[in-house]
Amino acid sequence: MSVKNIFAHRNRGVLLDIVVFVLNIFLMRQATRYFIGLIQLVSADNDSLAVFQLGLFFTGMLVLPAAGAVLKRWHFHRKGGVRQGRAGDEREQAARREANIWGCLWNPVLYLAVSLIISATAVSLLGTLVFGPNYQNNGAIFVSLIFGAMAVSLLQTFFVYHYFSPPRKSPKGAFWRDERSALLGDVCIYLNMILFQVLWNMVGLMPFERATSFGEFAGRLFFLCFVAMLIYFPPRIFYLAEDAHRRTTWLTMLLANSPVILRVLFGVNLRIGG
């Protein structure tokens, strides 16, 4: 892949990895400092503005991927669908494409689990803001919010995985067929990834010391790679359906997460304040 083609539609995933890599080097530390400051305000003073901002943060993690899936679905299948060639070729290409898609998606249970954690956090923050810090004592409100969080997670997972099912017909509105809707969907996906990266950079705050043995180093590396996959996979899933078969994809994904991994592996911690 040449540098001049980095902005091509088929390379949006690789471009995302590069953007994340640059942000993790230059900007994500400051964003993480601000995020930690909000948590401290909520924990110490129950600051209403901080609660609202944190609630908006986690709500964005629920809304943005679903919005991106809806905006990009038709474009994804139109550009990747089979429209020419003999019937036998079409069936073969369609089967190969389906294998590529489901081979990189694994199982929606993982995505749903992450979504449930996010929605529970968002509901807890917004519940505190709307009903007060002791809203858990009201059984009706608490149970309603819990079921609401579960419904939101299920709905988000449905929209995300529905993205990979070909639409039966073209959308009626001109906007949905226009490239602007696909671009707006990419913006939603990129913003969602940035929110996830704030959480990923918090791993750099963990009190790790330098590894003193190969076994400790290998164990820490495995843990970091597992957490990186858990955090990076959900917002990257849309582009993985298109480029999971490329070797460069996995290299750029590793590159995107490498600043935090190296920071923890070699005991370089992100300092908050001062």
Side-chain angles (χ1 to χ4, degrees):
M1 180 182 65
S2 61
V3 175
K4 65 180 181 180
N5 291 327
I6 190 64
F7 294 102
H9 183 274
R10 65 181 181 275
N11 296 324
R12 293 284 169 83
V14 173
L15 178 61
L16 175 61
D17 298 333
I18 295 174
V19 169
V20 169
F21 172 72
V22 173
L23 290 177
N24 275 331
I25 292 178
F26 296 107
L27 298 177
M28 291 311 301
R29 291 191 179 190
Q30 185 61 37
T32 304
R33 289 190 183 100
Y34 184 78
F35 185 78
I36 295 296
L38 290 178
I39 294 177
Q40 293 172 342
L41 286 174
V42 172
S43 177
D45 305 324
N46 197 31
D47 185 273
S48 297
L49 180 58
V51 171
F52 174 76
Q53 289 177 317
L54 283 178
L56 193 63
F57 177 93
F58 287 103
T59 301
M61 297 178 74
L62 294 170
V63 173
L64 288 171
V70 172
L71 289 164
K72 284 180 60 67
R73 179 172 175 244
W74 183 77
H75 300 276
F76 168 65
H77 291 283
R78 179 180 65 87
K79 293 184 177 181
V82 179
R83 297 182 297 278
Q84 299 178 351
R86 299 191 305 272
D89 294 335
E90 291 180 3
R91 286 194 295 268
E92 181 181 352
Q93 293 178 40
R96 185 184 301 114
R97 178 158 186 81
E98 182 178 358
N100 287 339
I101 291 175
W102 292 110
C104 76
L105 294 185
W106 303 334
N107 194 296
V109 172
L110 173 62
Y111 194 97
L112 178 61
V114 175
S115 181
L116 284 170
I117 295 173
I118 295 171
S119 62
T121 304
V123 163
S124 176
L125 291 167
L126 295 177
T128 300
L129 181 65
V130 175
F131 301 106
N134 298 318
Y135 77 95
Q136 297 94 336
N137 297 329
N138 188 320
I141 294 177
F142 181 72
V143 172
S144 298
L145 290 177
I146 291 298
F147 278 101
M150 294 176 62
V152 169
S153 294
L154 289 169
L155 189 63
Q156 185 208 46
T157 304
F158 167 79
F159 277 120
V160 169
Y161 279 81
H162 188 59
Y163 171 86
F164 304 103
S165 300
R168 296 181 179 179
K169 56 184 179 180
S170 299
K172 295 181 179 180
F175 170 76
W176 302 102
R177 300 190 301 270
D178 193 282
E179 286 297 327
R180 289 175 297 178
S181 60
L183 180 60
L184 183 58
D186 286 319
V187 171
C188 291
I189 294 171
Y190 274 55
L191 289 176
N192 185 50
M193 175 62 83
I194 293 174
L195 297 182
F196 269 85
Q197 285 302 298
V198 172
L199 300 182
W200 170 231
N201 272 263
M202 290 183 67
V203 176
L205 298 175
M206 300 177 68
F208 284 116
E209 300 296 334
R210 292 179 181 272
T212 57
S213 66
F214 176 78
E216 183 181 355
F217 181 87
R220 188 177 299 177
L221 179 61
F222 174 81
F223 168 77
L224 289 171
C225 290
F226 175 77
V227 175
M229 182 199 72
L230 191 65
I231 296 177
Y232 204 75
F233 175 80
R236 185 64 164 78
I237 190 174
F238 300 102
Y239 301 126
L240 273 176
E242 299 177 291
D243 60 13
H245 63 283
R246 303 182 193 172
R247 294 181 180 178
T248 54
T249 295
W250 303 97
L251 292 176
T252 55
M253 288 174 62
L254 177 61
L255 176 69
N257 289 279
S258 61
V260 177
I261 292 176
L262 294 175
R263 196 180 307 146
V264 176
L265 280 177
F266 296 100
V268 181
N269 292 323
L270 172 62
R271 298 181 182 274
I272 303 299

Short mmCIF file of all heavy atoms in Angstrom, two decimals, residues 122-143:
data_model
loop_
_atom_site.label_atom_id
_atom_site.label_comp_id
_atom_site.label_asym_id
_atom_site.label_seq_id
_atom_site.Cartn_x
_atom_site.Cartn_y
_atom_site.Cartn_z
N ALA A 122 -22.70 4.18 32.11
CA ALA A 122 -23.44 5.36 31.68
C ALA A 122 -24.72 5.54 32.48
O ALA A 122 -25.05 6.65 32.92
CB ALA A 122 -23.75 5.27 30.18
N VAL A 123 -25.44 4.45 32.70
CA VAL A 123 -26.70 4.51 33.45
C VAL A 123 -26.44 4.91 34.90
O VAL A 123 -27.18 5.70 35.49
CB VAL A 123 -27.43 3.16 33.38
CG1 VAL A 123 -28.49 3.05 34.48
CG2 VAL A 123 -28.07 2.99 32.02
N SER A 124 -25.35 4.39 35.49
CA SER A 124 -25.02 4.75 36.86
C SER A 124 -24.74 6.24 37.00
O SER A 124 -25.22 6.90 37.93
CB SER A 124 -23.81 3.94 37.32
OG SER A 124 -23.40 4.32 38.62
N LEU A 125 -23.99 6.79 36.06
CA LEU A 125 -23.65 8.21 36.11
C LEU A 125 -24.87 9.09 35.86
O LEU A 125 -25.13 10.05 36.59
CB LEU A 125 -22.56 8.52 35.09
CG LEU A 125 -21.18 7.94 35.40
CD1 LEU A 125 -20.28 8.03 34.17
CD2 LEU A 125 -20.54 8.66 36.57
N LEU A 126 -25.63 8.75 34.83
CA LEU A 126 -26.80 9.55 34.51
C LEU A 126 -27.89 9.39 35.56
O LEU A 126 -28.63 10.33 35.85
CB LEU A 126 -27.33 9.16 33.13
CG LEU A 126 -26.37 9.48 31.96
CD1 LEU A 126 -26.96 8.99 30.64
CD2 LEU A 126 -26.07 10.97 31.89
N GLY A 127 -27.97 8.20 36.15
CA GLY A 127 -28.93 7.99 37.24
C GLY A 127 -28.60 8.86 38.44
O GLY A 127 -29.49 9.44 39.07
N THR A 128 -27.31 8.96 38.74
CA THR A 128 -26.88 9.83 39.84
C THR A 128 -27.20 11.28 39.54
O THR A 128 -27.63 12.04 40.44
CB THR A 128 -25.37 9.66 40.07
OG1 THR A 128 -25.10 8.30 40.41
CG2 THR A 128 -24.89 10.56 41.19
N LEU A 129 -27.01 11.69 38.30
CA LEU A 129 -27.26 13.08 37.92
C LEU A 129 -28.75 13.42 37.99
O LEU A 129 -29.13 14.49 38.46
CB LEU A 129 -26.72 13.33 36.51
CG LEU A 129 -26.88 14.75 35.95
CD1 LEU A 129 -26.04 15.73 36.76
CD2 LEU A 129 -26.46 14.79 34.49
N VAL A 130 -29.59 12.51 37.52
CA VAL A 130 -31.03 12.79 37.42
C VAL A 130 -31.75 12.55 38.73
O VAL A 130 -32.58 13.37 39.17
CB VAL A 130 -31.66 11.95 36.29
CG1 VAL A 130 -33.18 12.14 36.26
CG2 VAL A 130 -31.04 12.31 34.95
N PHE A 131 -31.44 11.43 39.40
CA PHE A 131 -32.21 11.02 40.57
C PHE A 131 -31.46 11.20 41.89
O PHE A 131 -32.01 10.93 42.96
CB PHE A 131 -32.63 9.55 40.44
CG PHE A 131 -33.46 9.27 39.23
CD1 PHE A 131 -32.92 8.60 38.15
CD2 PHE A 131 -34.78 9.68 39.16
CE1 PHE A 131 -33.67 8.33 37.01
CE2 PHE A 131 -35.55 9.42 38.04
CZ PHE A 131 -35.00 8.75 36.96
N GLY A 132 -30.21 11.64 41.84
CA GLY A 132 -29.45 11.84 43.06
C GLY A 132 -28.56 10.66 43.36
O GLY A 132 -28.73 9.56 42.81
N PRO A 133 -27.58 10.87 44.28
CA PRO A 133 -26.59 9.82 44.56
C PRO A 133 -27.16 8.57 45.22
O PRO A 133 -26.53 7.52 45.20
CB PRO A 133 -25.59 10.53 45.48
CG PRO A 133 -26.36 11.65 46.10
CD PRO A 133 -27.34 12.08 45.06
N ASN A 134 -28.35 8.66 45.80
CA ASN A 134 -28.93 7.51 46.50
C ASN A 134 -30.07 6.87 45.71
O ASN A 134 -30.95 6.25 46.28
CB ASN A 134 -29.44 7.95 47.87
CG ASN A 134 -28.32 8.46 48.77
OD1 ASN A 134 -27.23 7.88 48.80
ND2 ASN A 134 -28.58 9.55 49.49
N TYR A 135 -30.02 7.02 44.39
CA TYR A 135 -31.13 6.49 43.59
C TYR A 135 -31.21 4.96 43.66
O TYR A 135 -32.27 4.39 43.41
CB TYR A 135 -30.99 6.94 42.14
CG TYR A 135 -29.94 6.17 41.35
CD1 TYR A 135 -30.31 5.08 40.57
CD2 TYR A 135 -28.60 6.54 41.38
CE1 TYR A 135 -29.36 4.38 39.84
CE2 TYR A 135 -27.66 5.85 40.65
CZ TYR A 135 -28.04 4.78 39.88
OH TYR A 135 -27.10 4.09 39.17
N GLN A 136 -30.10 4.28 44.03
CA GLN A 136 -30.13 2.81 44.13
C GLN A 136 -31.09 2.33 45.20
O GLN A 136 -31.54 1.18 45.15
CB GLN A 136 -28.72 2.27 44.41
CG GLN A 136 -27.71 2.54 43.32
CD GLN A 136 -26.92 3.80 43.59
OE1 GLN A 136 -27.37 4.69 44.31
NE2 GLN A 136 -25.72 3.88 43.03
N ASN A 137 -31.41 3.20 46.18
CA ASN A 137 -32.32 2.79 47.24
C ASN A 137 -33.77 2.72 46.77
O ASN A 137 -34.61 2.12 47.45
CB ASN A 137 -32.22 3.78 48.41
CG ASN A 137 -30.83 3.77 49.04
OD1 ASN A 137 -30.15 2.75 49.03
ND2 ASN A 137 -30.41 4.92 49.57
N ASN A 138 -34.05 3.34 45.63
CA ASN A 138 -35.39 3.26 45.06
C ASN A 138 -35.42 2.08 44.09
O ASN A 138 -34.89 2.15 42.98
CB ASN A 138 -35.72 4.57 44.33
CG ASN A 138 -37.18 4.62 43.88
OD1 ASN A 138 -37.73 3.64 43.42
ND2 ASN A 138 -37.79 5.80 44.01
N GLY A 139 -36.04 0.99 44.53
CA GLY A 139 -36.01 -0.25 43.75
C GLY A 139 -36.58 -0.10 42.36
O GLY A 139 -36.01 -0.63 41.39
N ALA A 140 -37.67 0.62 42.23
CA ALA A 140 -38.30 0.76 40.92
C ALA A 140 -37.39 1.48 39.93
O ALA A 140 -37.24 1.07 38.77
CB ALA A 140 -39.63 1.51 41.06
N ILE A 141 -36.77 2.56 40.39
CA ILE A 141 -35.88 3.32 39.52
C ILE A 141 -34.64 2.50 39.17
O ILE A 141 -34.22 2.42 38.00
CB ILE A 141 -35.48 4.65 40.18
CG1 ILE A 141 -36.70 5.56 40.32
CG2 ILE A 141 -34.38 5.33 39.39
CD1 ILE A 141 -36.41 6.86 41.03
N PHE A 142 -34.05 1.87 40.18
CA PHE A 142 -32.82 1.12 39.97
C PHE A 142 -33.03 -0.03 38.99
O PHE A 142 -32.24 -0.22 38.05
CB PHE A 142 -32.30 0.59 41.31
CG PHE A 142 -31.02 -0.19 41.20
CD1 PHE A 142 -29.82 0.46 40.94
CD2 PHE A 142 -31.02 -1.57 41.35
CE1 PHE A 142 -28.64 -0.26 40.83
CE2 PHE A 142 -29.84 -2.29 41.24
CZ PHE A 142 -28.65 -1.63 40.99
N VAL A 143 -34.08 -0.82 39.20
CA VAL A 143 -34.36 -1.96 38.32
C VAL A 143 -34.67 -1.48 36.91
O VAL A 143 -34.23 -2.08 35.92
CB VAL A 143 -35.52 -2.81 38.88
CG1 VAL A 143 -35.94 -3.87 37.87
CG2 VAL A 143 -35.11 -3.46 40.19
#
